Amino acid sequence: MASTHDTSAARGAEVLVASNRGPVSYEVREDGSLHTKRGGGGLVSGLSAIGPDAGALWVCSALSDGDREAVRRGVGEEGVRMLPVPADVHADAYNGIANSVLWFVHHLLYQTPLEPVFDAGFRRQWAAYETYNRAFAEALAEEAADGAAVLVQDYHLCLVPGMLRELRPDLRIGHFSHTPWAPPDYFALLPEDIREQLLRGMLGADRLGFLTRRWADAFTACCEQSVGGLAGTEVGVHGLGADADFLRERSHRPDVEERIVALREEIGEGRKAIVRVDRTELSKNIVRGLLAYRQLLDDHPQWRERVVHVAFAYPSRQDLAVYRDYMAEVQRVTDEINAGYGTPGWTPVLLNLKDDFARSLAAYRLADVALVNPIRDGMNLVAKEVPVVSDEGCALVLSREAGAYWELREDAITVNPYDVLETARALHEALSMAPGERAERTKRLSAAATALPPARWFLDQLNALRATQPG
Ligand SMILES: O=P(O)(O)OC[C@H]1O[C@H](O[C@H]2O[C@H](CO)[C@@H](O)[C@H](O)[C@H]2O)[C@H](O)[C@@H](O)[C@@H]1O
Ligand SMILES: O=c1ccn([C@@H]2O[C@H](COP(=O)(O)OP(=O)(O)O)[C@@H](O)[C@H]2O)c(=O)[nH]1
């Protein structure tokens, strides 16, 4: 890794994006060939719309053995540079600090009295997080043309703006958070020096972006409490929308049509479908969703045999025991409901624990009700994607703690995600909605969901960043 920027280097990229997860990942097949897979989650859905046409260089991490092998063989996508960070550094930075500490802080996921504990192990992981951030800062410093614009993404890379600023004072540096931001009292769980390092690292940027005003205000409040304010850094709000063109085209391809036929058969003739699609992620609140569905079957037995809960919970962050345990809990509660309520011709919950994007799109299209009930979520693109591709209109049950709430609340049925009884009532209301009203609401939801498509979301940030004075 180069430690300084060589100013005599040839001109590099004018626009750079940096994120932990990149647009694709690789898998080594048994015959030794490399298989390419689209990266999962909303950050990739948002940034993939930018594509190589925009001329941006996307610097991301080699996350898997397959990714590292691709780097070794010199295989890669156009406009993408994968950093082969050592596996142990990545594990500590990504699984340790990013996903077990920062993700937990911003999503209010700690369960006292057992968590959090900031001990010597945490300090070792923090050192890896610094190393990881430095690797990105150095790669970006190496690749960027004079005066280029660099858009750093998310909580994995909070220290990059400050580090990059030192290496390349000429650059315009932005940082965008795809997560919520913790309120100051919760952020204060972190050791004081770590809090300061994170905030000062981000304030090394010229401009910071958030998905909603709520998260931007929480960040500003944390800065006021810990480091005396924003130190001249601009803060903007950019609510990432769904990519209607991509979704409509992709959801009408033959592989999705095939899956619609299969899904309809599994659901059963004349039954309604309550659909959810998430990473198996603690903050998505899948178990309370199942409990609310069970409550619905208790409170309104008329729905028994007439509805199926189609739950797609595709694997995420499986290196972490707490995520593996959560997946097992989702399976356990599903089995309990199916055993307790199922009949020979009716399986109340259809649980899909495998990654199958085409099948998820098929479920979006045929859903009567979409259940999106996160405890807390930066935005939640699923809530925005369903109305766009829905065939016959879909009622949306939406958590008031999702970023998407602020844009979709008028036509969604909104819930407190912890309140299982309220969620059950919302499911009943959604299932009972008249088809005409459902179609009308879906149309308005779709318009709100696509108000800021990914390409414009990105361009707005780029233009705003270019209008700042570097440093
Ligand atoms: O990369 P992973 O660890 O597999 O996780 C997937 C992504 O999860 C988070 O996504 C967020 O970004 C979405 C788009 O802005 C937003 O709608 C959602 O609410 C967020 O949870 C994470 O922030 C990304 O970095 C991950 O890639
Ligand atoms: O099997 C699937 C099903 C869905 N998605 C996509 O994953 C994203 C999830 O984004 P969201 O903002 O809802 O949550 P995140 O996972 O980023 O926290 C959406 O764009 C989905 O279309 C996916 O990658 N694989």
Side-chain angles (χ1 to χ4, degrees):
M1 283 173 211
S3 58
T4 52
H5 168 61
D6 175 3
T7 47
S8 66
R11 279 182 75 79
E14 296 289 347
V15 179
L16 298 95
V17 173
S19 66
N20 170 70
R21 185 170 295 283
V24 293
S25 67
Y26 298 89
E27 210 179 83
V28 187
R29 288 266 162 94
E30 268 180 21
D31 63 0
S33 65
L34 282 174
H35 172 70
T36 318
K37 229 182 92 193
R38 172 188 185 275
L43 177 144
V44 168
S45 299
L47 286 170
S48 294
I50 288 114
D53 300 351
L57 176 70
W58 188 340
V59 178
C60 57
S61 176
L63 297 173
S64 62
D65 291 343
D67 291 353
R68 280 182 279 272
E69 181 57 19
V71 175
R72 212 185 52 76
R73 292 188 199 174
V75 171
E77 302 284 302
E78 191 196 334
V80 177
R81 174 171 165 192
M82 271 193 175
L83 295 185
V85 182
D88 56 335
V89 172
H90 187 262
D92 278 347
Y94 174 69
N95 292 321
I97 298 299
N99 288 340
S100 301
V101 179
L102 302 181
W103 182 269
F104 273 58
V105 169
H106 291 316
H107 291 83
L108 318 184
L109 286 173
Y110 281 130
Q111 291 178 19
T112 49
L114 295 178
E115 289 175 313
V117 178
F118 299 117
D119 54 8
F122 163 77
R123 290 287 163 177
R124 188 203 68 236
Q125 291 179 333
W126 182 258
Y129 183 80
E130 290 175 309
T131 305
Y132 185 66
N133 275 250
R134 189 157 297 284
F136 270 80
E138 287 171 352
L140 292 164
E142 219 171 83
E143 298 279 2
D146 287 347
V150 184
L151 290 128
V152 180
Q153 310 294 311
D154 239 351
Y155 59 102
H156 317 88
L157 302 177
C158 290
L159 307 181
V160 168
M163 291 173 168
L164 185 56
R165 168 77 56 223
E166 281 191 10
L167 295 171
R168 293 286 306 271
D170 60 300
L171 299 178
R172 287 196 172 79
I173 305 171
H175 182 282
F176 192 86
S177 291
H178 293 261
T179 60
W181 193 271
D185 282 354
Y186 208 84
F187 193 63
L189 291 175
L190 291 171
E192 199 173 339
D193 61 318
I194 300 295
R195 260 188 285 161
E196 286 191 22
Q197 236 184 298
L198 286 166
L199 296 174
R200 289 193 202 287
M202 285 174 68
L203 293 174
D206 298 294
R207 195 166 187 282
L208 300 172
F210 292 88
L211 286 165
T212 70
R213 172 57 48 203
R214 186 181 178 197
W215 314 141
D217 287 349
F219 175 80
T220 305
C222 287
C223 287
E224 278 159 6
Q225 197 171 83
S226 291
V227 294
L230 292 173
T233 301
E234 202 175 296
V235 173
V237 173
H238 302 268
L240 174 62
D243 188 351
D245 295 342
F246 164 74
L247 287 165
R248 292 204 179 108
E249 188 277 323
R250 182 68 190 85
S251 65
H252 283 86
R253 286 199 209 151
D255 59 342
V256 177
E257 302 288 356
E258 266 168 36
R259 284 163 174 82
I260 287 189
V261 174
L263 250 182
R264 278 201 201 289
E265 188 152 334
E266 286 173 58
I267 291 166
E269 190 61 34
R271 289 190 180 125
K272 289 193 185 278
I274 299 174
V275 168
R276 73 172 308 136
V277 175
D278 316 83
R279 289 182 293 110
T280 309
E281 162 60 60
L282 287 72
S283 60
K284 304 289 181 185
N285 207 21
I286 301 165
V287 171
R288 281 195 197 80
L290 287 163
L291 298 181
Y293 176 66
R294 185 173 68 187
Q295 189 71 42
L296 168 86
L297 300 178
D298 283 342
D299 293 349
H300 301 279
Q302 71 270 27
W303 288 118
R304 294 189 191 183
E305 312 232 23
R306 290 183 49 217
V307 65
V308 171
H309 184 18
V310 180
F312 283 74
Y314 58 99
S316 176
R317 306 182 188 170
Q318 290 294 293
D319 289 340
L320 295 177
V322 64
Y323 278 73
R324 294 195 298 274
D325 292 349
Y326 190 64
M327 202 155 182
E329 182 64 3
V330 168
Q331 181 73 65
R332 192 189 67 72
V333 178
T334 298
D335 292 346
E336 212 176 85
I337 296 174
N338 284 342
Y341 295 78
T343 62
W346 174 56
T347 306
V349 183
L350 281 181
L351 177 65
N352 294 260
L353 294 174
K354 293 230 169 71
D355 196 346
D356 186 340
F357 187 52
R359 197 161 142 89
S360 303
L361 290 175
Y364 282 8
R365 277 185 53 189
L366 59 69
D368 296 284
V369 175
L371 174 58
V372 179
N373 65 326
I375 287 168
R376 215 169 143 83
D377 216 334
M379 177 55 75
N380 197 297
L381 285 180
V382 171
K384 291 185 162 183
E385 292 169 349
V386 174
V388 175
V389 301
S390 166
D391 278 348
E392 289 175 16
C394 173
L396 175 64
V397 174
L398 178 63
S399 163
R400 292 189 281 272
E401 298 304 313
Y405 163 78
W406 300 95
E407 292 165 64
L408 306 181
R409 59 187 158 166
E410 277 177 25
D411 286 294
I413 301 170
T414 68
V415 295
N416 167 352
Y418 297 96
D419 189 339
V420 167
L421 295 177
E422 188 193 14
T423 309
R425 282 196 300 274
L427 289 175
H428 174 62
E429 189 186 333
L431 287 168
S432 311
M433 198 181 281
E437 180 181 352
R438 209 173 82 168
E440 281 306 312
R441 284 194 192 217
T442 305
K443 222 188 282 167
R444 290 192 296 265
L445 284 168
S446 173
T450 52
L452 188 57
R456 245 196 59 214
W457 166 81
F458 184 75
L459 212 64
D460 284 358
Q461 289 179 64
L462 189 58
N463 290 337
L465 180 61
R466 282 181 168 148
T468 61
Q469 283 301 317

